[in-house]
Amino acid sequence: GAMGGSASLIPRDLLGEYQELTFLSKQEILLAYKRFSELLPKEERENACSARVPKSQILMLPELRANPFQHRICHVFSTSETQDDSMSFEDFLDMLSVFSDSATSDIKSHYAFRIFDFDNDGTLDRKDLEQLVNCLTGQGEESRLSSAEMEQLIQNILEESDIDKDGTINLAEFQHVVSRSPDFASSFKIVL
Amino acid sequence: EDKEDESKEEDNGSQQNTASRRKNYQRKNRDGKKAREEGSQKKDRGKTAPTKDQKESENKEKKTTKRGKEGENKKKKDRKNSSSSASSNSSDEESLSEEELAMLKEQVEQKKKLISTMRNKPWRMVKKLSVLREAQAFVEKFEGALGKGKGKKLYAYKMMMAKKWVKFKRDFENFKTQCIPWEMKIKEVESHFGSSVASYFIFLRWMYGVNLVLFGLIFGLVIIPEVLMGMPYGSLPRKTVPRAEQATAMDFSVLWDFEGYIKYSALFYGYYNNQRTIGWLKYRLPMAYFMVGISVFGYSLMVVIRSMARNANESTADGDDDNFIFSWKMFTSWDYLIGNPETADNKFASITTSFKESIVDEQESNKDENIHLRRFLRVLANVLIICCLCGSGYLIYFVVKRSQTFSKMQNVGWYERNEVEIVMSLLGMFCPPLFETIAALENYHPRIGLKWQLGRIFALFLGNLYTFLLALMDDVNEKLAEEDVVKNITHWTLLGHHNSSAGNDSTATPPPLDPADVPRGPCWETTVGIEFVRLTVSDILVTYITILVGDFIRACFVRFVNYCWCWDLEAGFPSYAEFDISGNVLGLVFNQGMIWMGSFYAPGLVGINVLRLLTSMYFQCWAVMSSNVPHARVFKASKSNNFYMGLLLLILFLSLLPVAYTIMSLPPSFDCGPFSGKKRMYDVIQETIELDFPLFVAKIFSYVANPGLIIPAILLMVLTIYYLNAVSKAYQRANAELKKKMQMQREEEKNKRNNKASTNPMLQDLEDLLTPSTKTESPLKQAEDKKIEPPNGTSPVRKPGKGEALAGSPMASGRGAAFTPPSQVFVTQPRTLGVRAPYPGQPRPWGHPLGPLPGRGRGQPCY
């Protein structure tokens, strides 16, 4: 009732199921619905549950605007069949659930891995790591690492994390490293 | 149709004995699971190119598993029939064998567990929805079959209630989250400044909540009863402004010093009457006053310790591990809460710097430098800082002493009256930057430097507070001496008045002496209360003025004068201020210490504090958003929260000491406060027990209070602490040992890898490594493993990732947390198979003693 008319558009039992399946509370889901339907053109708002929002619109969200991984996030959570990284409401909920405060660090690290896996091959290889470093150091030319530094950095990271020494970091190794970090769970967080 | 066939087939097989059947059944399931797992894998990968037919195959897979499951159910039913017909001719539906029933029950339980942990699975919503619906349907269908005869109804009822309870809990959670204030404000700050600055505001909000409870306690149980039912103002000397002060009692300058009418109001200790019961409720006010004073401390202690324990429980990672410096920098340094492009730019820059720094550090880690010079500088810095601390302590002592002489003089100026507060605030303002300057000599790593800095500021504040207290104590002792004299005077005055009025007119009752004219004692309790209130108020003012001048005016100046200035003000010297997180948190902590100390003698103090925190929230939020810039090096709010909580606990303890001392060993004033006329304040408890409770309670109480009982109790507690400490030490040692073993293992691995073709010996190695750990594991976990092991392969929907649940679950007990490292090593393995499947022929380690735990996490199995 508090959320106004748009709230009534999610069926009651579906809302219950969403609460069961995500780490979000009822208010958060309703807020997500509101924000999501605001991204849609007016005529589609009626059935926002089945509509898809194009990637360009999703990236307009202030929560994702400054994020260097915005494209990856869209890609990972999108279920679009045409590869355009558009998002349905359920994809959107999936994303918010993973980034919510109460999600376990386990599921967070799982998705973090997929976000960092730029070529979607299931492991983080040198190329992925390089791209990751470039994302983290920003667009500015002066802030880029030199190739020697980059080489050194990736070498160090592989030395630390690549337990089976196959030259790449797989999901298991990644989770092993990240789960022991004191501040991964608190920073891998997006709140609407 | 084909399902039927399947069941027919099963019927044939039902001749077999149960054991082999069970085995069979499990194997089947396992296969199904494998298939499913592959399916999910395919799905995960399939997102790169989810072509139509791939999806279709996926669906088919799902269907087959579904069918398989239904087949299972059928099978079960058939088996039930056949077994019953085989064992006896009774075709009673209810006579499910115990085993059968247990199996079914287990399955239902498992489904429920699945439902409650579904949110932990990295699946798409569509899939989660379908699995959820399926599982719910299953539970719905078979729940009714459980429980026998009469038990059936009860069982159904219990299930219904459980469902209702879950729903109620969820609604309650929703309600609770809705009640949390300032979510949006904090979110805004988060997106501009990252999580570190926001963590201050979250702390502030938490503090506000705690103070609100204290406020409710004190106002509800002390102040409001006194105002509603106590004697009104002017009825007693202690509730009346003395004649000499009455002329100025309403002047603002007097009120501002908390004299005049404010001093003689319910905000301070002295106003309360020592009447045992008040009003028609027979409310025992002195007793309530005492108990509330105690429970303020009790509640605060409980809350602080509870939140500390929760924080400690949540952080399974200790963070001291320096094995993963680079990886953590890489994988966890982005703060996803940042939503502001400028902040993001700062963050980029700080990440780049940290990358470069750590590379350089790594390269030059063994470079020699002049260690003697550095040592000398560090010692020098510490000497300087200790000098500063002593100096500030002496200054405060001197000022407080002087203020006592001022207080005896008449017409002293505003400055003389407020000298103590001003000096303390100024010290608090100027010493921390001074320390920072001196600390530059030491050249510590920034993180270590920050801790030192915090420790020093803490020492400064604490020293100042305690000097202040000591000086105040001198004051109190003086007042106590003075009181004896006044006591006699009062006595004689009252007697004299009585005599004189009796002599003048012996027939009429003597007109009572006006309460304003009765000579008073100094009432040291109210004096102490006023000191604390003044200190708090001046602290508030100084904080706000600092923010206004240091942040806002500066920001305005930089912003607008920049147009006509010779250098760039924004980039150059004054620039904008950064938000000082640690300073602000410490300020908050100390302020809270003063509230705790003062609230016994000034019940109104908590009200002032609640107002302060409320305004702080808005004012500081505004100031941060309007005039501060994000940190050049954006820190993250890591788990250092417990550091602040530890400070808070220390302060709480230290503020408990003086209050407890005064309650236990100083006599209360004879003519003011709820305990006047008693020898000690705590006598009120004895009085209540003797007068209000039956005799045997008093007897029990006297036994319990007997030192013969208390000393053994304390001894027992000490022994318990000792024992727990020893146990935790042992766990820590075991933990460290495991860590060492792991490292050795890794080293070995490195060597081995280089020359050996991989078949996957690592898995076995790690398992070997883990076996010793099971010995030391907490019994709780073992029990859980046992419980979960049997249904190992029953549910085809369960995720195969063996330890994934283990990894996410903070072990239920703090001690258990010491054992996360091994489980996490373990966790790393099966996934390898899943994601990359490099070793196709590898047998899955289902039979491992650690067994899979279905996902645990926030969705604790609650049904």
Side-chain angles (χ1 to χ4, degrees):
Chain A
M3 292 292 166
S6 63
S8 56
L9 291 178
I10 305 182
R12 240 180 109 82
D13 41 345
L14 196 61
L15 190 60
E17 281 169 333
Y18 285 152
Q19 282 180 68
E20 193 71 62
L21 295 176
T22 62
F23 292 97
L24 305 172
S25 71
K26 189 171 152 194
Q27 289 85 26
E28 285 167 322
I29 292 172
L30 293 177
L31 178 64
Y33 186 80
K34 194 164 149 254
R35 296 290 300 275
F36 184 80
S37 54
E38 277 166 12
L39 293 175
L40 286 166
K42 278 230 157 46
E43 58 274 15
E44 283 186 60
R45 283 190 194 170
E46 285 305 304
N47 48 358
C49 272
S50 54
R52 301 191 80 86
V53 171
K55 182 180 175 182
S56 56
Q57 282 290 316
I58 291 282
L59 297 186
M60 299 285 274
L61 279 174
E63 286 78 11
L64 285 178
R65 209 175 42 197
N67 198 316
F69 304 110
Q70 41 177 325
H71 299 286
R72 289 298 307 159
I73 292 174
C74 270
H75 184 79
V76 165
F77 287 97
S78 163
T79 51
S80 162
E81 291 173 20
T82 53
Q83 289 293 301
D84 60 353
D85 293 350
S86 62
M87 275 193 168
S88 70
F89 177 58
E90 289 184 350
D91 300 341
F92 193 60
L93 272 189
D94 267 334
M95 179 183 92
L96 291 177
S97 168
V98 168
F99 280 108
S100 78
D101 204 8
S102 40
T104 59
S105 87
D106 202 38
I107 192 153
K108 277 177 190 273
S109 57
H110 180 101
Y111 278 98
F113 180 81
R114 279 167 56 175
I115 288 169
F116 296 158
D117 182 14
F118 286 86
D119 51 10
N120 304 313
D121 64 349
T123 64
L124 300 185
D125 49 28
R126 279 173 174 273
K127 279 235 171 55
D128 289 326
L129 293 177
E130 208 167 297
Q131 236 168 323
L132 178 55
V133 174
N134 283 339
C135 269
L136 284 173
T137 52
Q139 309 302 319
E141 276 305 311
E142 77 283 1
S143 69
R144 282 276 160 89
L145 296 185
S146 69
S147 61
E149 283 172 328
M150 178 78 82
E151 183 61 29
Q152 180 70 37
L153 183 63
I154 290 175
Q155 191 56 43
N156 286 338
I157 286 170
L158 286 177
E159 235 158 63
E160 285 171 357
S161 311
D162 182 19
I163 297 174
D164 61 5
K165 296 292 159 209
D166 60 352
T168 62
I169 297 172
N170 59 35
L171 176 61
E173 288 161 348
F174 180 79
Q175 285 189 319
H176 174 62
V177 171
V178 158
S179 66
R180 317 189 65 204
S181 155
D183 41 28
F184 170 69
S186 63
S187 64
F188 196 76
K189 203 164 84 171
I190 292 177
V191 187
L192 264 197
Chain B
E1 310 88 33
D2 59 350
K3 271 182 216 157
E4 301 254 296
D5 293 341
E6 230 175 281
S7 57
K8 284 263 163 63
E9 267 174 37
E10 291 305 324
D11 252 351
N12 296 339
S14 72
Q15 283 1 349
Q16 292 167 342
N17 66 27
T18 28
S20 71
R21 169 182 284 281
R22 168 89 59 77
K23 233 182 254 164
N24 208 357
Y25 180 58
Q26 275 183 0
R27 198 184 312 130
K28 263 220 160 142
N29 258 318
R30 214 176 297 155
D31 292 342
K33 200 179 310 188
K34 239 182 236 174
R36 267 198 76 318
E37 183 192 346
E38 265 147 36
S40 76
Q41 232 70 71
K42 217 177 263 172
K43 182 153 197 179
D44 286 353
R45 291 232 227 144
K47 72 179 166 18
T48 48
T51 51
K52 268 258 157 73
D53 66 7
Q54 209 163 6
K55 268 227 165 112
E56 242 168 45
S57 76
E58 211 172 87
N59 279 344
K60 224 182 270 166
E61 222 149 20
K62 216 178 281 170
K63 243 180 244 164
T64 47
T65 43
K66 207 186 284 183
R67 195 188 303 143
K69 188 143 43 89
E70 264 158 60
E72 260 157 39
N73 300 338
K74 265 267 158 54
K75 177 169 75 182
K76 190 162 301 158
K77 265 196 226 149
D78 292 332
R79 177 153 161 255
K80 176 177 72 193
N81 288 337
S82 65
S83 70
S84 61
S85 61
S87 58
S88 68
N89 279 334
S90 76
S91 58
D92 192 358
E93 271 286 309
E94 297 300 311
S95 79
L96 289 156
S97 70
E98 286 291 311
E99 210 177 336
E100 280 286 343
L101 208 64
M103 281 255 285
L104 194 59
K105 200 165 186 169
E106 224 160 61
Q107 227 168 1
V108 169
E109 291 294 300
Q110 209 142 70
K111 286 275 182 225
K112 277 186 189 162
K113 198 166 265 177
L114 175 75
I115 290 172
S116 67
T117 58
M118 191 96 73
R119 55 166 75 89
N120 291 323
K121 315 263 188 229
W123 297 342
R124 301 244 179 244
M125 185 63 82
V126 188
K127 178 168 163 193
K128 280 197 279 191
L129 268 179
S130 72
V131 175
L132 175 79
R133 283 175 187 153
E134 195 183 300
Q136 273 174 341
F138 180 87
V139 169
E140 203 98 310
K141 193 167 168 195
F142 287 101
E143 212 162 46
L146 296 174
K148 294 187 288 190
K150 279 175 198 156
K152 200 166 177 173
K153 237 180 199 153
L154 187 69
Y155 187 83
Y157 180 72
K158 246 174 37 191
M159 284 302 134
M160 200 183 72
M161 286 321 283
K163 234 181 259 170
K164 286 249 163 77
W165 174 239
V166 169
K167 191 169 163 7
F168 171 76
K169 266 206 305 206
R170 200 164 66 191
D171 285 348
F172 187 68
E173 284 295 317
N174 284 342
F175 176 71
K176 265 205 315 205
T177 50
Q178 217 165 19
C179 286
I180 296 173
W182 302 314
E183 275 292 312
M184 290 319 287
K185 259 191 176 335
I186 288 174
K187 197 210 138 194
E188 209 177 322
V189 173
E190 258 173 350
S191 100
H192 268 83
F193 294 88
S195 52
S196 58
V197 175
S199 75
Y200 166 74
F201 288 98
I202 291 171
F203 188 62
L204 180 63
R205 183 173 67 180
W206 183 81
M207 217 52 155
Y208 178 73
V210 172
N211 275 283
L212 219 51
V213 173
L214 298 185
F215 177 76
L217 263 178
I218 291 179
F219 265 65
L221 295 179
V222 173
I223 295 185
I224 290 179
E226 170 67 34
V227 169
L228 289 183
M229 300 187 289
M231 311 256 279
Y233 172 83
S235 57
L236 287 172
R238 69 185 65 179
K239 298 193 180 197
T240 318
V241 178
R243 185 76 66 197
E245 296 173 23
Q246 264 177 7
T248 58
M250 211 44 195
D251 291 0
F252 182 74
S253 64
V254 172
L255 291 181
W256 184 244
D257 283 339
F258 301 98
E259 299 281 341
Y261 282 110
I262 292 191
K263 184 178 176 183
Y264 298 95
S265 73
L267 297 182
F268 290 104
Y269 172 93
Y271 183 79
Y272 293 85
N273 195 4
N274 63 345
Q275 208 179 349
R276 234 171 68 75
T277 60
I278 56 170
W280 51 274
L281 275 176
K282 299 276 169 221
Y283 189 74
R284 281 159 177 73
L285 190 78
M287 182 68 185
Y289 195 99
F290 191 79
M291 294 314 281
V292 164
I294 289 178
S295 49
V296 162
F297 281 105
Y299 174 77
S300 311
L301 266 177
M302 196 189 73
V303 166
V304 172
I305 288 179
R306 206 179 54 185
S307 74
M308 272 181 88
R310 207 177 33 223
N311 280 355
N313 246 355
E314 270 172 18
S315 60
T316 46
D318 41 10
D320 294 333
D321 209 333
D322 46 355
N323 286 335
F324 302 118
I325 308 167
F326 287 99
S327 310
W328 283 350
K329 278 210 174 104
M330 182 87 137
F331 298 137
T332 71
S333 59
W334 185 257
D335 194 340
Y336 287 71
L337 286 163
I338 293 173
N340 185 13
E342 273 179 53
T343 317
D345 283 343
N346 281 355
K347 186 78 190 170
F348 288 137
S350 86
I351 289 176
T352 314
T353 330
S354 88
F355 276 150
K356 285 184 177 162
E357 265 176 15
S358 56
I359 291 172
V360 173
D361 278 0
E362 177 87 355
Q363 281 165 352
E364 300 185 358
S365 58
N366 31 15
K367 202 186 97 182
D368 258 346
E369 54 187 321
N370 194 344
I371 197 141
H372 294 295
L373 177 67
R374 176 173 279 192
R375 258 187 211 152
F376 169 72
L377 283 177
R378 283 185 183 172
V379 170
L380 181 71
N382 276 313
V383 168
L384 283 177
I385 281 168
I386 288 174
C387 287
C388 282
L389 288 176
C390 293
S392 79
Y394 178 72
L395 189 61
I396 287 176
Y397 191 77
F398 175 74
V399 168
V400 175
K401 277 287 173 197
R402 212 161 74 138
S403 80
Q404 282 160 14
T405 58
F406 281 141
S407 70
K408 288 194 190 84
M409 291 196 294
Q410 298 298 312
N411 354 306
V412 284
W414 178 84
Y415 171 74
E416 276 84 1
R417 265 181 285 125
N418 292 294
E419 198 181 37
V420 182
E421 287 77 22
I422 292 171
V423 167
M424 278 184 78
S425 303
L426 285 181
L427 279 176
M429 227 162 84
F430 287 113
C431 276
L434 186 65
F435 289 171
E436 208 157 349
T437 320
I438 295 174
L441 285 177
E442 294 179 309
N443 197 15
Y444 277 125
H445 184 274
R447 200 187 303 145
I448 301 168
L450 183 72
K451 289 234 158 135
W452 275 95
Q453 171 75 357
L454 283 178
R456 281 164 185 162
I457 298 175
F458 193 76
L460 171 81
F461 280 5
L462 210 62
N464 291 357
L465 205 63
Y466 260 65
T467 339
F468 173 74
L469 277 181
L470 282 181
L472 205 62
M473 213 49 135
D474 280 354
D475 200 22
V476 167
N477 284 332
E478 236 168 68
K479 289 235 155 102
L480 280 174
E482 187 188 327
E483 202 180 63
D484 279 339
V485 181
V486 178
K487 206 171 176 177
N488 282 334
I489 295 175
T490 316
H491 187 71
W492 287 114
T493 317
L494 285 175
L495 212 65
H497 173 75
H498 189 77
N499 281 346
S500 66
S501 57
N504 285 346
D505 187 0
S506 51
T507 51
T509 49
L513 184 60
D514 192 278
D517 293 330
V518 177
R520 315 276 173 84
C523 196
W524 61 268
E525 293 95 335
T526 299
T527 315
V528 170
I530 287 178
E531 284 299 325
F532 277 109
V533 172
R534 272 193 204 157
L535 211 56
T536 309
V537 169
S538 74
D539 183 50
I540 297 173
L541 290 181
V542 168
T543 313
Y544 286 3
I545 289 171
T546 322
I547 291 173
L548 263 187
V549 175
D551 291 343
F552 184 64
I553 306 273
R554 179 168 153 191
C556 286
F557 176 77
V558 169
R559 181 91 177 74
F560 296 113
V561 181
N562 199 25
Y563 296 119
C564 47
W565 201 263
C566 18
W567 70 80
D568 188 4
L569 286 173
E570 286 185 341
F573 162 59
S575 83
Y576 297 104
E578 283 180 356
F579 186 76
D580 175 18
I581 303 165
S582 51
N584 273 299
V585 170
L586 275 187
L588 205 58
V589 166
F590 267 87
N591 168 60
Q592 192 59 36
M594 285 193 290
I595 304 303
W596 277 323
M597 261 191 260
S599 67
F600 190 74
Y601 297 121
L605 189 56
V606 180
I608 295 175
N609 194 39
V610 166
L611 279 183
R612 180 228 168 113
L613 294 176
L614 191 68
T615 48
S616 258
M617 191 75 200
Y618 288 101
F619 185 56
Q620 286 195 302
C621 260
W622 166 79
V624 157
M625 296 301 284
S626 69
S627 44
N628 283 8
V629 286
H631 288 258
R633 302 188 63 169
V634 185
F635 286 110
K636 243 181 314 177
S638 61
K639 292 285 177 183
S640 59
N641 284 341
N642 249 3
F643 182 69
Y644 295 132
M645 281 290 172
L647 290 186
L648 195 63
L649 186 66
L650 186 62
I651 279 285
L652 176 56
F653 181 71
L654 290 176
S655 54
L656 179 61
L657 282 184
V659 176
Y661 171 75
T662 51
I663 288 178
M664 296 311 278
S665 56
L666 291 184
S669 296
F670 75 99
D671 65 345
C672 69
F675 311 115
S676 56
K678 297 192 174 56
K679 279 186 80 173
R680 293 281 181 264
M681 292 179 190
Y682 57 84
D683 284 348
V684 72
I685 292 186
Q686 214 154 2
E687 187 192 74
T688 307
I689 286 172
E690 272 166 14
L691 296 180
D692 292 340
F693 286 97
L695 197 61
F696 74 94
V697 177
K699 242 183 189 166
I700 291 173
F701 185 76
S702 73
Y703 284 136
V704 170
N706 191 345
L709 232 132
I710 289 179
I711 290 173
I714 291 176
L715 219 67
L716 191 72
M717 282 203 275
V718 170
L719 285 178
T720 319
I721 290 171
Y722 173 76
Y723 170 73
L724 290 179
N725 201 28
V727 167
S728 81
K729 279 258 175 62
Y731 280 127
Q732 266 170 19
R733 239 195 336 268
N735 198 10
E737 208 129 290
L738 282 174
K739 231 183 228 172
K740 218 161 68 188
K741 264 189 195 167
M742 250 171 53
Q743 264 162 6
M744 270 161 52
Q745 198 70 33
R746 269 181 56 183
E747 294 297 316
E748 231 170 80
E749 212 52 55
K750 270 184 201 168
N751 299 339
K752 240 190 238 168
R753 279 283 144 189
N754 292 338
N755 42 23
K756 202 173 163 187
S758 63
T759 46
N760 193 14
M762 181 176 62
L763 191 62
Q764 270 109 34
D765 286 351
L766 280 172
E767 276 180 17
D768 288 347
L769 171 66
L770 275 171
T771 12
S773 80
T774 37
K775 260 183 266 164
T776 43
E777 240 152 10
S778 62
L780 171 95
K781 196 160 154 273
Q782 269 180 356
E784 261 177 37
D785 288 336
K786 238 173 249 160
K787 201 170 69 199
I788 293 170
E789 230 209 331
N792 219 343
T794 359
S795 157
V797 229
R798 211 179 50 219
K799 186 88 212 241
K802 182 176 237 181
E804 74 180 338
L806 270 177
S809 66
M811 297 291 142
S813 71
R815 264 180 275 145
F819 289 93
T820 26
S823 69
Q824 269 153 1
V825 184
F826 193 68
V827 169
T828 55
Q829 292 327 303
R831 281 287 179 80
T832 327
L833 301 174
V835 179
R836 306 187 49 222
Y839 322 114
Q842 198 61 28
R844 310 232 160 181
W846 282 121
H848 191 273
L850 272 178
L853 276 176
R856 276 195 298 160
R858 170 176 134 171
Q860 290 284 340
C862 49
Y863 18 75

